[in-house]
Structure formats: C-alpha cells, structure tokens
C-alpha cells in the first residue's frame, strides 16, 4: 500500500547483451514506462532490493546465475514475490518453459521479441498485478471492517469501545495518531479521546470545542463526508496548537453518521506529508460508518444504564440516608453520594435559614482544583439556587439560559447545565438541591422528576435527623434531670425488669444500675413491698395509689407507680420516689404535739366545761350565772377549735385518708338528719333535692361527711330565723355536683377571695355575734382538694349564699361499697 506507482510502472530489464537491453529499453521508454537496467543476476537483485520495480524482464542466460535462479530467489522473498517476471529466452523448447514456470516466472518471450508482443505481454502482466493488488486491498479492507464489527460489536462500555476503535483504526491504517469526537444532537462534543503512538493524549476541552466549531471536524460535520489534508501547514482547517498533534502533517477525517445525523468524527494523523491516499480515506470512511452503529448502540446502552443506575440510586437512597442521623453529616454525605452515583460535575445542598440559603460545606465537585467555600446566599440574590428557594419549584437551565438567572452562586469553569430542586416538607421549603453538569447530554428534563423524588427523600431524612437530634437533646436534658434529681427513680419494662435506676435510686437501694439492669425488681430491690406495689399497678393496668415505703435503713420513700411508654412504644412502669423521712419525722413530731395539745388542752377544757355546768346548776339566776355561762361557751369554742385544728392537721398531712366508693346521696341525708334540731331551733326550713340515681365518688366518707356538715352548719348559722336551706346533688358529666344554698346574710364581694383561708371570718358585727373558729371552710377546702375536687361560692350580701363542691364521679358506681350502700 505504501508503494506508489508511476502512471505506467517501472520495469527492470536484466540482460547481459547491451544490444538486447537497449532494444527493449527504448521500446519500453517509448511506451511510457520507466526503465531500470542490470547486466547480471547480482546487479539485478541489488537494484530490486533498492527499489522494487513493477515488472522484471529477465534474460534466462546471465553470466553469474541463470534467470530461473533469480526468479526463485524473488519468489522466496515475501516483499518481492508479487513482482511479475517475464523471462526472455532464445530457447524454444518446452522444457525450459516448464522450468521457468516452476521457478515462478509469469510469462515467456522468445528472443528477439516482437515489439508489439513485448508491450502487450508487459501491459498484461502489469494489469494482472494491479488487479491482484486491488483484490488484496479489498480483501484486507473487508477483513478490517469485519474485525471492527466483530471486536467492537460486543463491547458495550463506551469508553473501552472508543479506545479499541481508535487503536484498531490507527494500527490498520498505519497512522501515528488519531482522535474520536462524539457529538450530541446539537453537534456539541460530549465524549472525546485521542492517541498518539498508541498512547492516550490529553486535549483540552476548549480545543475540542474549537475543532468542532471551526476546525477540520467542523468541515466534516458540515459536509457530512470524509476529507484529507496532504499538508497541515497548507490547510487552514487544521488548527495548529501547542499540543501532541501539532507535529501532524497528513490528516484524514471521516464522519460517523447514524440515522441521518453526525454522531462523531474520526480523525487519523501522520507526521509525513501526503501520507494518505484516496484508498485510505475510503477505508476510514467505511470504518467510520461501521463504527457509528456500534458506538450509537453503546451510547444508548450507557444512557439506559445510567438511567437505571439513577433509578436504583433514588430507590435505595432513602435506606442509605435514613441511617445517617446527624443532619450536617447527612447533607455532606448525600452531596457526595449523588455526585458519585450520577456522575455530576458538582452537587450542593443548601438549607433555608430565615432569608438566607446556607450550605456549610455540603457540596462536592469532581474537579479537585476548584476551591469551594461555604455558601451564604440572600434569598433575593441572583442565581438558580435562590430562585428555586423563592418559588419552591425546580429549575433546569442549560447552556446560555443559565445567564438569564444572573451570575451563578459558585464560579465553576466547566458547568454547562444546572438543575435546582427544592427540598420541601409539607409545603414548606427547607432548602435546595443544586446539581451541575459539565456534559451537554447529562442533565435533561427527564432528570427533574428523578431529582425531585430524591429531594423529597432527602427532606424526609433531614427532618428525621433533626427530630432525632431534638430527641437526643431532650434525652440529654432528661438524663441530666434524672442524674441530678434527689428523687429516686426506678423504671421497669412490662415484665417488671429494671430498665433504669438513677443515682438517687442507686443510693436508696444500695445497688448500682449496672448490677440491677434487666433483672426483676422483686429479685434486686428490697423491701419486697416495692415489688408488690409494682405488681398491683400492673394488675390494675394503671396508676397505683400513693404508697409509703420504709427502707431497710429506716428511711421512708413516698411514691406511686405509673405506666410509661418504653422506647419502642411498649408499656413499662415508673416510680418516682420522694424521700419523706424528714417529713415523717416532722409529722410524728406534729402528731406528738397535737396529741399532747389535745391531751393537755382537752382535759382542762372538759373540766372547765364540767365545772361550769355544775356552777350553772347551783348558782341562782344573776350576774354570776351569766359569767359562768360565758366561761362554758368559751370553753366549748376552745374545744371546737382544738378539734378543728386536729382535723385540719390530719387532712393536710394526708394521714388517715381512705379511698372507697361513697354514695353522696346517703351522706347528704345523714348530714341533714343531724342538722335537723339546729334547723328546728332556728325555724329554718331544710330542703333536699337529690337525684334518684346514686351519685358516688371515690373518697373518705368520714371526711366527705365533714364537708357536708360544715357547709350545712354554716348555712344554718348564717341564716336568720325563718330562713331556708336547700341541699342539691346531681351528676354532671363525669362529676358529682353538691350545692348548699341558704337565704342568709350573704358574703360581701371583697371577702370572697379570702373566704377559705384558715381563721378567716368576715369582719362584720353580724358575724362577730355568731360563734366560729374560721376553720370550717378551710377544712372543707382541704378535704375537697384531697379528693381532686373543686370548691367555689356564689354570694350576695343580704341575699344568701350558694356553696358548690364538684367531685370526680366514681368510675364504676355499680361496684361501689362503703357507707350508705
Ligand atoms: P366559722 O367558724 O367562722 O363559721 P368558717 O370557715 O366556716 O368559719 O367560715 C368563715 C367565714 O365565712 C364565716 O365566719 C362567715 O363570715 C363566712 N360564712 C361562711 N359560711 C357562710 C354562709 N353560709 N353565709 C354567710 N357567711 C358565711
């Protein structure tokens, strides 16, 4: 292929006879051939090795070797074997012809030959030689094309494919370098590869773009056909640059055409001028056509593969990000993950904080040279990210369109397309996911919904991570409280196995949490009564009644057990225990004191009352008797006071309080009966309005009776003679409402706020005349509150009063027992 033929060919005439040689030479020159001469076999072989002729006219008889020997040597040399040899012989006999043919000669001429015959034979042999060569060339071309389709057809990886194609083409066409440019629909380069002397060379993106815009590739794209440059220095289509290919002198380039559009350009180069001819170009063009099919197939495959990968990623990303519970870490990892998986040039996540978009290093760029700093963008500023955050909608800007949104927030040299997608949760914009591509075919409309799904997943993961962080903070706070509090806290799971002992509990029970964890409360904590309380709460499936627990060391803990949800929503139990040892001591002291007081005061008071009675009976009517009556009344008042004080003390301390179902209907009746004589005396009509159904509450019947007695006695006390007192009882929702109404003196507005204070009495001459301690209502209030109820009064001075008591109704009246049932 590298041999170049002159129009008619070069013929070597070998003959030791100068006359014969010159005769032939002149004829051949006249016919347009170039002629070389040799006198001997050695000379002929020397010339042939210097320059291979297109045909040899060889005399059989030579001084050194015969023509047969020369022919045989030629045929043994692969490079020279195809040169046609015509033997010149004076011998007519058949034997010598056979000998010649055996040696490998192509034809014979008998000396002296006829001129016309000589030229005809020469021409025939030359034609035959050319046909043979063409045939061979065609065969190797077919073989090459077959290799292209066979070796590359199965290759689906685009990069490997391009590499193999370039390798195959450069070696087959003996080129020293080459390149392949892949183009998108807008004829922009989307993939490039170049090599020289079998090594991949790097060419800048800018140069590729330029070549496609105005270089040789541009010409090929425009004309949709191959072309050759014999000398790059004479052709302005070759853009001379300081790169690996600047020394190229011969070039040929062919378009890769697929379904009507140029999908790429294949270029081959060589340092020698005019290295390629039309047959080369023809071959390159055929290869390019063949390659277009396989390349396009690989491109489609790559696109689909990438799409599948994207889908798979989006599908799987929620699992990956869900495990990241630190929001900062999450955003950083997602930026990296998305860029890696999707192959984007740049990915950034920014969060909305008031009027700013902030990204603290949650970005990832393929180009390590690009320096990235945390973004802090005002919402009103230019660029795609603020736009997306403002409108809460995705935005895709490709090429020039990006400029419409003002200068980008980060200056990246290779970005050609940018897509911003809002991170939204429940209509609220949390931030923006921004991806940028340096390839024209990477970001399209199809990516928008995909990245929206991704953004939604990131948003959910982000809010989860934030929630987790908040919970963690809360947990830390709780832990600090648990550790710091003086109350002993014990929690268990549903099976009463210990799940927590705070330090105060560790101290109280003398066991570390590490030792107790996971073990049954009954086996680890003493006294056993504690376990019983937990069991009771579990059995009742609710809150245990307040309990006092005396520890082995004599200290007293006050607590009740309540249900609590465990970390996975399962039911557990908790007891918060107050150390009431000092209160108990105080209480004891108080009880002792009260006992002493009652003992010390009650006895003399009883004596005073007794002797006053005696005196009253023995004394005659007069001033003395009045004094004694006064002594008696005072003693009675003091006894009442002592009694009230004792009651109040007990109620407030919560001692002797019991909880049982009490039917108030019954208690009201009992109280009314007891008040009957007092009412008779004062001519006051006593009325009752009781419902037919039972109004039960959970409580201490003795105390509740005291509430009724106190209210009723006040109503009678503070009503003038001939008045009316009504007691009403009714159920109202989940409460029982008791009302005591009188037609008495009423209470002035300004006195109402202080009415339930201890020792408070309305300061009025009317009240002063009526005996009282000012403790009755304070006792009522203490009892009602101890029963989780409410107490209030409505009253107008001179018009009477209405006292109300609301108590929670007993949950299961059918099961109520106790007094009055
Ligand atoms: P006392 O022993 O003085 O009755 P209470 O605590 O029972 O003490 O009542 C406090 C004050 O409230 C009474 O002194 C009286 O002034 C006023 N009070 C109580 N009940 C009535 C009522 N039904 N009518 C008018 N005033 C009342």
């Amino acid at each position: 292929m590298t041999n170049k033929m002159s129009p008619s060919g070069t013929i070597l005439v070998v003959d030791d006879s100068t006359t014969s040689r010159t005769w032939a030479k002149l004829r051949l020159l006249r016919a347009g051939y170039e002629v070389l001469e040799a006198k001997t076999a050695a000379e002929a072989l020397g010339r042939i090795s210097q320059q291979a002729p297109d045909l040899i006219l060889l005399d059989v008889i030579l001084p050194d070797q015969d023509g047969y020997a020369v022919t045989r040597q030629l045929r043994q040399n692969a490079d020279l074997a195809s040169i046609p040899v015509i033997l010149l012989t004076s011998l007519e006999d058949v034997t010598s012809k056979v000998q010649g043919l055996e040696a490998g000669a192509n034809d014979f001429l008998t000396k002296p030959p006829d001129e016309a015959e000589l030229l005809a034979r020469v021409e025939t042999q030359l034609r035959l030689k050319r046909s043979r060569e063409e045939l061979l060339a065609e065969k190797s071309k077919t073989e090459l094309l077959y290799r292209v389709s066979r070796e590359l057809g199965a290759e689906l990886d685009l990069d490997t494919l391009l590499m193999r194609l370039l390798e195959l083409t450069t070696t087959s066409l003996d080129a020293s370098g080459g390149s392949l440019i892949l183009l998108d629909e807008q004829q922009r380069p989307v993939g490039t590869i170049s090599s020289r002397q079998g090594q991949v060379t790097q060419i800048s993106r800018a140069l590729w773009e330029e070549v496609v815009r105005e270089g040789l590739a541009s010409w090929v794209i425009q004309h949709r056909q191959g072309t050759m440059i014999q000398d790059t220095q004479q052709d302005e289509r070759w853009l001379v640059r300081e790169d690996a290919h600047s020394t190229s002198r011969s070039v040929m380039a062919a378009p890769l055409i697929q379904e009507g559009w140029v999908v790429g350009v294949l270029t081959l180069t060589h340092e020698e001028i005019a290295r390629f001819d039309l047959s080369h170009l023809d071959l390159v063009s055929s290869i390019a056509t063949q390659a277009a099919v396989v390349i396009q197939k690989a491109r489609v495959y790559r696109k689909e593969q990438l799409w599948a990968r994207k889908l798979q990623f989006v599908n799987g990303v929620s699992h990956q990000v869900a495990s990241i519970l630190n929001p900062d870490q999450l955003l950083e990892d997602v930026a990296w993950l998305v860029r890696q998986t999707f192959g984007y040039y740049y990915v950034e996540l920014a969060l909305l904080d008031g009027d700013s978009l902030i990204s603290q290093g949650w970005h990832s760029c393929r180009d390590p040279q690009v320096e990235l700093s945390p973004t802090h963008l005002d919402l009103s500023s230019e660029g795609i990210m603020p736009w997306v955050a403002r409108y809460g909608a995705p935005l895709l800007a490709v090429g020039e369109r990006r400029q419409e949104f003002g200068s980008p927030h980060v200056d990246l040299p290779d970005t050609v397309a940018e897509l911003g997608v809002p991170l939204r949760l429940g209509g609220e914009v949390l931030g923006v996911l921004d991806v940028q591509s340096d390839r024209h075919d990477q970001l399209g409309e199809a990516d928008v919904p995909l990245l929206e799904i991704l953004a939604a997943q990131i948003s959910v993961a982000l809010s989860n991570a934030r929630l987790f962080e908040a919970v963690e903070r809360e947990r830390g706070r709780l832990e600090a409280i648990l550790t710091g509090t003086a109350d002993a806290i014990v929690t268990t799971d549903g099976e009463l196995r210990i799940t927590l002992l705070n330090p105060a509990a560790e101290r109280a029970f003398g066991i570390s949490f590490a030792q107790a964890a996971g073990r049954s409360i009954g086996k680890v904590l003493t006294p056993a009564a504690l376990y019983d309380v937990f069991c009771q709460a579990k059995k009742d499936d609710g809150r245990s009644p307040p309990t006092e627990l005396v520890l082995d060391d004599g200290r007293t803990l006050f607590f009740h057990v309540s249900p609590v949800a465990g970390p996975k929503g399962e039911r557990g139990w908790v007891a918060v225990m107050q150390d009431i040892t000092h209160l108990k001591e105080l209480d004891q002291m108080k009880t002792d004191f009260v006992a002493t007081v009652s003992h010390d005061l009650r006895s003399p008071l009883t004596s005073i009352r007794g002797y006053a009675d005696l005196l009253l009976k023995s004394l005659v009517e007069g001033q003395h008797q009045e004094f004694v009556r006064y002594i008696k009344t005072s003693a009675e008042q003091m006894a009442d006071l002592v009694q009230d004080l004792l009651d109040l003390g007990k109620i407030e301390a919560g001692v002797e309080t019991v909880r049982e179902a009490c039917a108030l209907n019954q208690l009201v009746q009992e109280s009314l009966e007891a008040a009957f004589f007092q009412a008779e005396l004062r001519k006051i009509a006593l009325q009752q309005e009781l419902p037919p159904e039972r109004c039960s509450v959970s409580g201490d019947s003795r105390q509740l009776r005291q509430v009724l007695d106190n209210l009723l006695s006040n109503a009678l006390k503070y009503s003038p003679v001939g008045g009316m007192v009504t007691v009403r009882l009714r159920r109202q929702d989940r409460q029982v409402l008791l009302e005591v109404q009188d037609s008495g003196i009423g209470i002035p507005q300004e006195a109402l706020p202080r009415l339930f204070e201890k020792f408070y009495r309305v300061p009025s001459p009317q009240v002063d005349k009526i005996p009282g301690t000012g403790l009755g209502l304070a006792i009522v209030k203490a009892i009602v509150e101890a029963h989780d109820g409410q107490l209030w009064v409505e009253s107008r001075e001179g018009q009477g009063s209405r006292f109300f008591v609301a108590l929670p109704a007993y949950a299961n009246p059918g099961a109520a027992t106790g007094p009055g049932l």
Side-chain angles (χ1 to χ4, degrees):
M1 279 248 196
T2 48
N3 289 349
K4 289 184 291 301
M5 292 196 295
S6 59
S8 306
T10 307
I11 294 163
L12 172 64
V13 181
V14 190
D15 200 327
D16 57 337
S17 150
T18 314
T19 322
S20 306
R21 230 176 38 240
T22 314
W23 181 87
K25 179 182 170 184
L26 286 173
R27 303 295 171 292
L28 291 168
L29 281 172
R30 234 185 1 236
Y33 298 106
E34 276 180 35
V35 180
L36 303 170
E37 294 172 76
K39 291 191 279 295
T40 63
E43 196 185 339
L45 289 170
R47 274 195 170 275
I48 293 167
S49 65
Q50 277 168 11
Q51 186 194 343
D54 293 311
L55 185 140
I56 303 168
L57 209 57
L58 180 63
D59 192 9
V60 171
I61 300 160
L62 292 169
D64 41 2
Q65 293 175 48
D66 61 20
Y68 308 128
V70 174
T71 309
R72 264 194 296 274
Q73 284 173 55
L74 287 176
R75 292 298 174 251
Q76 275 157 17
N77 185 327
D79 288 342
L80 309 173
S82 65
I83 303 173
V85 173
I86 301 176
L87 288 174
L88 282 169
T89 172
S90 45
L91 310 170
E92 268 278 19
D93 62 303
V94 181
T95 338
S96 58
K97 280 190 180 173
V98 170
Q99 224 180 336
L101 283 172
E102 274 174 1
N106 299 70
D107 202 358
F108 291 89
L109 272 176
T110 313
K111 271 175 133 179
D114 171 63
E115 181 180 351
E117 191 185 354
L118 168 77
L119 293 177
R121 296 276 172 102
V122 166
E123 186 50 43
T124 307
Q125 285 306 323
L126 283 176
R127 222 180 8 245
L128 272 169
K129 178 178 181 255
R130 273 188 220 113
S131 316
R132 226 178 11 249
E133 277 173 358
E134 273 167 21
L135 216 77
L136 272 173
E138 197 55 43
K139 184 170 166 251
S140 63
K141 179 178 156 186
T142 315
E143 270 172 10
L144 182 61
L145 289 176
Y146 174 68
R147 272 182 73 194
V148 168
S149 66
R150 194 195 54 197
E151 287 187 26
L152 306 181
E155 183 58 63
L156 284 171
D157 179 66
L158 191 58
D159 294 332
T160 319
L161 181 69
L162 296 184
M163 198 59 227
R164 280 292 298 135
L165 177 66
L166 198 59
E167 230 171 65
L168 214 72
T169 333
T170 43
T171 45
S172 310
L173 284 143
D174 207 14
S176 57
S179 74
L180 246 169
I181 309 174
L182 289 191
L183 303 164
D184 67 5
E185 286 90 338
Q186 274 82 44
Q187 316 282 246
R188 290 172 305 209
V190 286
T192 51
I193 184 166
S194 66
S195 74
R196 196 177 155 74
Q197 312 290 13
Q199 302 292 316
V200 174
T201 51
Q202 294 301 328
I203 294 181
S204 75
R205 185 193 174 90
L207 182 55
W208 284 123
E209 304 246 353
E210 203 178 338
V211 167
V212 169
R213 213 169 41 244
E214 52 202 37
L216 182 63
S218 149
W219 190 95
V220 171
I221 294 165
Q222 260 173 39
H223 294 81
R224 305 161 74 81
Q225 68 179 58
T227 185
M228 275 193 298
I229 293 178
Q230 295 295 348
D231 184 358
T232 53
Q233 291 182 0
Q234 309 298 320
D235 198 317
E236 58 187 21
R237 289 179 300 178
W238 191 252
L239 307 172
V240 184
R241 287 283 178 282
E242 283 309 310
D243 63 42
H245 294 272
S246 59
T247 52
S248 302
R249 296 296 292 270
S250 302
V251 182
M252 57 182 174
L256 277 71
I257 296 179
Q258 173 72 6
E259 286 168 3
W261 58 282
V262 182
V263 298
V265 177
L266 173 62
T267 307
L268 294 179
T269 59
H270 204 284
E271 284 83 11
E272 281 176 27
I273 296 175
R275 178 70 183 192
F276 305 117
D277 61 28
L278 282 171
S279 68
H280 294 117
L281 183 60
D282 178 42
L283 186 55
V284 169
S285 301
S286 303
I287 292 176
T289 308
Q290 192 93 2
V293 182
V294 258
I295 285 178
Q296 207 50 10
K297 196 169 83 182
R299 280 173 85 169
V300 169
Y301 176 75
R302 172 187 264 198
K303 220 170 168 169
E304 279 178 1
Q305 208 186 26
L306 187 68
W307 188 247
R309 224 171 50 216
K310 284 179 179 179
L311 280 176
Q312 205 180 8
F313 173 75
V314 169
N315 219 11
V317 78
S318 54
H319 296 295
Q320 294 195 46
V321 297
S323 56
I324 310 169
L325 290 169
N326 171 331
D328 280 347
Q329 186 66 48
L330 172 91
L331 296 167
E332 204 177 308
D333 287 4
V334 167
W336 187 86
L337 255 167
V338 174
R339 190 181 67 65
Q340 279 287 320
T341 317
F342 285 35
Y344 292 131
Y345 173 53
Y346 177 79
V347 174
E348 176 173 353
L349 282 143
L351 293 186
L352 205 58
D353 183 3
D355 280 344
S356 304
L357 264 179
I358 297 170
S359 129
Q360 331 230 6
W362 308 315
H363 37 217
S364 177
C365 185
R366 191 183 322 122
D367 186 349
Q369 304 297 317
V370 175
E371 266 190 40
L372 298 169
S373 53
T375 306
H376 195 115
L377 279 177
D378 203 78
L379 260 196
S380 56
S381 53
E382 293 184 343
I384 286 172
M385 281 185 102
W387 189 98
V388 172
R390 276 199 305 274
Y391 294 101
L395 177 67
L396 172 68
V398 180
E400 303 293 300
R401 245 206 99 203
R402 260 183 102 217
Q403 263 100 63
E404 284 175 30
F405 298 90
S407 46
H409 71 284
V410 50
D411 196 19
L412 298 167
D414 292 342
T415 299
V416 294
E418 182 173 351
L419 170 61
V421 181
L423 300 177
R424 263 187 320 218
L425 199 70
E428 184 201 353
V429 175
L430 302 180
V432 178
L433 164 66
D434 181 81
V435 299
Q436 301 187 20
S437 170
D438 56 352
R439 284 179 32 193
H440 293 285
D441 63 344
Q442 200 178 38
L443 265 183
E445 288 296 340
D447 290 271
V448 179
L450 201 68
L451 285 186
E452 279 192 299
I453 298 172
L454 185 66
Q457 281 169 341
I458 297 172
S459 305
V460 172
L462 184 65
S463 82
N464 281 347
R466 281 176 167 176
L467 213 64
F468 177 77
E469 219 181 35
V471 169
E472 272 297 285
R473 249 198 322 272
E474 191 56 26
R475 207 177 62 85
R477 223 167 58 86
L478 263 176
E479 205 166 276
I481 293 172
L482 282 178
T483 315
T485 184
D487 293 344
I489 298 170
V490 179
T491 69
T492 71
D493 60 13
E495 301 309 313
L496 304 186
R497 285 181 296 245
I498 291 172
T499 50
L500 177 108
L501 284 187
N502 74 338
E506 289 180 321
R507 283 192 298 274
F509 294 102
I511 187 168
S512 75
F513 174 48
Q515 289 170 299
R519 297 171 65 189
S520 167
I521 201 166
K523 295 212 172 98
V524 187
L525 304 186
T526 50
L530 176 66
Y531 179 63
D532 297 340
V533 181
F534 271 86
C535 285
Q536 190 60 44
K538 193 181 160 195
K539 197 168 134 237
D540 297 346
D541 199 29
R543 202 177 143 114
S544 74
T547 312
E548 287 177 16
L549 185 76
V550 182
L551 297 179
D552 297 343
D553 61 3
R555 282 184 302 131
T556 309
L557 297 182
F558 176 81
F559 70 100
H560 52 73
V561 175
S562 318
V564 67
K568 288 174 197 134
E570 75 279 8
R571 168 161 274 209
W573 302 95
V574 61
V576 180
M577 307 169 161
Q578 283 169 290
D579 187 339
I580 55 159
T581 313
H582 64 290
L583 283 179
K584 277 305 233 189
E585 285 164 4
L586 262 178
D587 196 45
Q588 193 52 49
M589 279 163 68
K590 207 165 75 183
T591 314
D592 293 350
F593 173 74
V594 168
T596 317
V597 166
S598 59
H599 183 259
D600 292 356
L601 279 181
R602 255 197 206 153
S603 323
L605 278 173
T606 317
S607 309
I608 294 169
R609 264 166 63 182
Y611 285 109
D613 268 343
L614 267 177
L615 273 173
L616 272 178
K617 280 176 192 153
S618 57
L619 279 176
V620 282
E621 197 68 31
Q623 206 186 8
H624 286 110
Q625 202 177 28
E626 196 175 317
F627 289 160
V628 174
R629 198 171 288 126
Y630 186 72
I631 291 170
K632 188 192 168 202
T633 320
S634 301
E636 277 170 359
Q637 278 181 9
M638 278 178 77
D640 285 352
L641 180 67
V642 167
Q643 190 55 48
D644 282 356
L645 267 174
L646 279 170
D647 289 346
L648 193 61
K650 279 182 199 157
I651 294 157
E652 283 185 336
V655 286
E656 295 176 18
T657 306
V658 286
R659 283 281 180 277
E660 56 195 0
C662 309
L664 284 187
N665 319 45
Q666 190 67 30
L667 291 178
V668 168
Q669 244 148 26
E670 285 172 14
S671 186
L672 281 169
E673 276 166 27
F676 179 74
F677 284 109
Q678 196 187 350
E680 274 289 282
L681 244 124
R682 300 180 51 81
K683 305 271 183 279
I684 291 173
L686 269 182
Q687 287 198 353
Q688 54 172 4
E689 291 176 20
L690 303 183
E693 80 269 16
R694 191 183 289 152
C695 294
S696 296
V697 298
S698 162
D700 184 321
S701 60
R702 216 174 46 75
Q703 290 183 356
L704 293 172
R705 172 69 195 277
Q706 191 168 4
V707 168
L708 281 162
D709 289 350
N710 287 9
L711 292 178
L712 207 51
S713 100
N714 278 355
L716 294 170
K717 255 195 329 194
Y718 300 108
S719 291
V721 174
M724 176 147 75
V725 168
T726 313
V727 182
R728 295 189 185 90
L729 190 65
R730 64 176 182 276
R731 261 194 90 130
Q732 192 170 297
D733 301 329
R734 292 189 181 167
Q735 288 189 316
V736 173
L737 194 68
L738 170 79
E739 180 190 342
V740 179
Q741 183 177 15
D742 64 52
S743 56
I745 58 172
I747 301 154
Q749 211 58 25
E750 63 277 11
L752 288 175
R754 299 194 55 198
L755 203 67
F756 301 108
E757 280 180 19
K758 282 177 203 145
F759 302 111
Y760 181 79
R761 304 201 75 210
V762 174
S764 84
Q766 251 177 317
V767 173
D768 284 349
K769 274 186 237 151
I770 304 163
T773 60
L775 283 172
L777 287 181
I779 291 171
V780 169
K781 182 168 179 265
I783 295 175
V784 171
E785 282 178 354
H787 284 74
D788 299 325
Q790 290 116 41
L791 167 70
W792 71 99
V793 62
E794 291 172 7
S795 182
R796 281 262 171 88
E797 214 174 347
Q799 292 181 15
S801 312
R802 294 170 76 184
F803 283 83
F804 296 91
V805 174
L807 292 166
Y810 185 70
N812 185 7
T817 53
L821 291 176

